[in-house]
Structure formats: structure tokens, C-alpha cells
């Protein structure tokens, strides 16, 4: 299988605080991977390093064989855990923005998903509910034909019905030649869409593996395993 994302001896500190210290990881194409851990475990730092928003203190990150930099931004589609669009923008404005900014943006796909949700292209982001706004942001990110999708807490602030839609959108629209990494602490909501998982805590990988193998060999759900590993 082709390796899309390769991590080697990655380290990141903020002052004296070590935020991330992990060894070697490889992510193969066609996989949806859960980056799972408690709040403050290092998930967002990992995502930002891979997206190129942060610079590592040590180690190497390669996407599609290319070290993180300007070139990898063309093939990485990143959904942050906060709103990144201006409230004054209308839906049609954000579509135009992504179309101009990303060559791999599939406008037809984005419009189709927006239509299914009944979102008016003339509606402003300011007038949308939090859940609708997050759906719009996810649609934009998933409408790119990227090699790597980085989704930071994509279901953290929405209701259960919206979570179902978001997960269905991820499964239905990602490029099968790509990797999707979902960083979240809501294990039970995402485990049914995951192929592989990585448990992270205090900036270190605690456990990783195949979701199906854990179910077959251990007879446990990833949610139950997570509760055992991270029990107080």
C-alpha cells in the first residue's frame, strides 16, 4: 500500500512544556484514522504540525513523499477546530473563495452537498446556526481532491443528528487515494467510520492499531478500549 503520510521522531515544545514527542508513524492511502485522546493530549498540535501551521523542533513529516512546506499545502485539506471564515461572507462567497484558492476544489460537488442541506447560497454565515456553519466548513474541506484530510474535532460542537451527517459526508466524499485523520475525544461517535486508531496522551502515542483487529481479537469496541487505557 502507498504511504501518504510519514512521521519520523516528531517533537514540539512550548517553552519548557513538551507538547508532542512521538516516534515513527505511517498512514496508508484509503484509510480513515482516528487520532484519539483527552483534551490537551496533543491532537491539535499534531494536526497543526502536519498542516504546516506549526514548525517542529525536531523530526520529519512527509506528505506524498514531500517534506512539509508550500508544496504540501496543495495536497492537504485542513479543517480547524474553530471557525475560519468571516461572518459577513455569504455561502456563495466562500464557494468562490475556495474555487480561487484551491485548484483541486470541486465546485460541483460542494454545490450538490449544500443543495441537499437546503442551504441558500445567498445566506450569510452570520445568520447560520453553529451546526450549519460547521457543516458548510466541512463541505468546503471535503470538496477538495486532496491527498490528506486533517479534521480537528469536526463533530465537537454539533448535535447528534448533525454528527451523523458530518460522518456520512466524510465517508462519502473523501478521495480513496487519500488519508483522512479525524482528531477527536468523542470516540463512540466516530469509531464506526474508522479503519485505524491512534491513542495519544501527554504528547505521546499510547496505543495504535486496526479497529477491526481490536474488535476481533480483544472483543472490545474502541470506545471501551479507550476508557480502559485512559481510566482515572
Amino acid at each position: 500500500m502507498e504511504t501518504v503520510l510519514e512521521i519520523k521522531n516528531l517533537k514540539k515544545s512550548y517553552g519548557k512544556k513538551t507538547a508532542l514527542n512521538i516516534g515513527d508513524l505511517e498512514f496508508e492511502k484509503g484509510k480513515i484514522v482516528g487520532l484519539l485522546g483527552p483534551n490537551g493530549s496533543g491532537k491539535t498540535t499534531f494536526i497543526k504540525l502536519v498542516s504546516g501551521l506549526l514548525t517542529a523542533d525536531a523530526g520529519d513529516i512527509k506528505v506524498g513523499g514531500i517534506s512539509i512546506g508550500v508544496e504540501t499545502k496543495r495536497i492537504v485539506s485542513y479543517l480547524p477546530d474553530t471557525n475560519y471564515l468571516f461572518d459577513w461572507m455569504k455561502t456563495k462567497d466562500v464557494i468562490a473563495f475556495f474555487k480561487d484558492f484551491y485548484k483541486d476544489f470541486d465546485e460541483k460537488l460542494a454545490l450538490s452537498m449544500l443543495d441537499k442541506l437546503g442551504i441558500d447560497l445567498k445566506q450569510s454565515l452570520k445568520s447560520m446556526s453553529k451546526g450549519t456553519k460547521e457543516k458548510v466548513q466541512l463541505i468546503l474541506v471535503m470538496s477538495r481532491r486532496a491527498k490528506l484530510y486533517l479534521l480537528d474535532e469536526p463533530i465537537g460542537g454539533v448535535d447528534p443528528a448533525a454528527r451523523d451527517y458530518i460522518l456520512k459526508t466524510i465517508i462519502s466524499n473523501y478521495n480513496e487515494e487519500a488519508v483522512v485523520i479525524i482528531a477527536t475525544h468523542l470516540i463512540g461517535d466516530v469509531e464506526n467510520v474508522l479503519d485505524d486508531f491512534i491513542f495519544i496522551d501527554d504528547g505521546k502515542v499510547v496505543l495504535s492499531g486496526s479497529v477491526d483487529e481490536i474488535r476481533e481479537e480483544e472483543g472490545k469496541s474502541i470506545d471501551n478500549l479507550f476508557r480502559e487505557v485512559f481510566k482515572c
Side-chain angles (χ1 to χ4, degrees), residues 77-94:
S77 193
Y78 166 55
L79 178 69
D81 61 348
T82 56
N83 179 34
Y84 61 91
L85 299 169
F86 295 109
D87 275 347
W88 59 261
M89 298 177 95
K90 294 181 172 62
T91 309
K92 65 178 182 179
D93 296 324
V94 297

Side-chain angles (χ1 to χ4, degrees), residues 151-168:
L151 312 179
D152 194 358
E153 296 289 358
I155 60 173
V158 296
D159 59 70
R163 289 176 188 177
D164 289 343
Y165 174 82
I166 286 171
L167 293 174
K168 189 182 297 182

Side-chain angles (χ1 to χ4, degrees), residues 127-141:
S127 68
M128 294 178 185
S129 67
K130 178 179 175 61
T132 300
K133 194 181 297 184
E134 292 193 2
K135 288 177 187 176
V136 170
Q137 293 185 158
L138 179 70
I139 285 171
L140 293 170
V141 168

Side-chain angles (χ1 to χ4, degrees), residues 5-219:
L5 172 63
E6 185 178 9
I7 305 289
K8 289 188 177 296
N9 299 317
L10 191 60
K11 295 181 180 179
K12 178 65 179 177
S13 298
Y14 300 109
K16 295 182 179 179
K17 168 68 174 175
T18 300
L20 208 65
N21 184 7
I22 60 177
D24 296 353
L25 292 172
E26 291 187 356
F27 298 78
E28 296 179 345
K29 72 175 184 178
K31 300 283 189 178
I32 300 179
V33 184
L35 183 65
L36 313 174
N39 288 327
S41 59
K43 300 187 300 295
T44 294
T45 296
F46 179 92
I47 293 291
K48 286 185 175 180
L49 286 168
V50 175
S51 68
L53 291 178
L54 290 176
T55 302
D57 298 327
D60 190 30
I61 307 169
K62 290 184 178 179
V63 181
I66 306 169
S67 293
I68 293 298
V70 175
E71 286 300 307
T72 59
K73 292 185 184 298
R74 295 188 300 104
I75 54 177
V76 175
S77 193
Y78 166 55
L79 178 69
D81 61 348
T82 56
N83 179 34
Y84 61 91
L85 299 169
F86 295 109
D87 275 347
W88 59 261
M89 298 177 95
K90 294 181 172 62
T91 309
K92 65 178 182 179
D93 296 324
V94 297
I95 291 292
F97 174 75
F98 262 64
K99 184 179 178 181
D100 287 344
F101 209 77
Y102 299 107
K103 291 183 178 179
D104 63 358
F105 181 66
D106 188 336
E107 182 183 13
K108 185 177 180 181
L109 175 61
L111 291 173
S112 173
M113 287 193 282
L114 288 167
D115 182 62
K116 289 177 183 176
L117 281 178
I119 297 176
D120 189 342
L121 291 177
K122 296 180 180 179
Q123 185 177 0
S124 68
L125 296 178
K126 186 177 182 179
S127 68
M128 294 178 185
S129 67
K130 178 179 175 61
T132 300
K133 194 181 297 184
E134 292 193 2
K135 288 177 187 176
V136 170
Q137 293 185 158
L138 179 70
I139 285 171
L140 293 170
V141 168
M142 297 308 298
S143 293
R144 289 184 56 195
R145 296 307 183 190
K147 290 282 287 183
L148 176 63
Y149 298 87
L150 301 171
L151 312 179
D152 194 358
E153 296 289 358
I155 60 173
V158 296
D159 59 70
R163 289 176 188 177
D164 289 343
Y165 174 82
I166 286 171
L167 293 174
K168 189 182 297 182
T169 300
I170 292 169
I171 296 170
S172 303
N173 295 288
Y174 86 97
N175 178 0
E176 292 184 358
E177 296 293 306
V179 167
V180 179
I181 298 178
I182 304 175
T184 185
H185 63 281
L186 299 171
I187 318 303
D189 290 296
V190 302
E191 74 166 285
N192 287 336
V193 308
L194 301 179
D195 298 301
D196 296 330
F197 71 94
I198 297 171
F199 286 171
I200 184 172
D201 191 30
D202 197 26
K204 299 176 181 178
V205 173
V206 177
L207 187 67
S208 64
S210 162
V211 171
D212 287 341
E213 287 179 6
I214 291 296
R215 289 176 181 150
E216 292 171 7
E217 296 173 8
E218 301 286 339

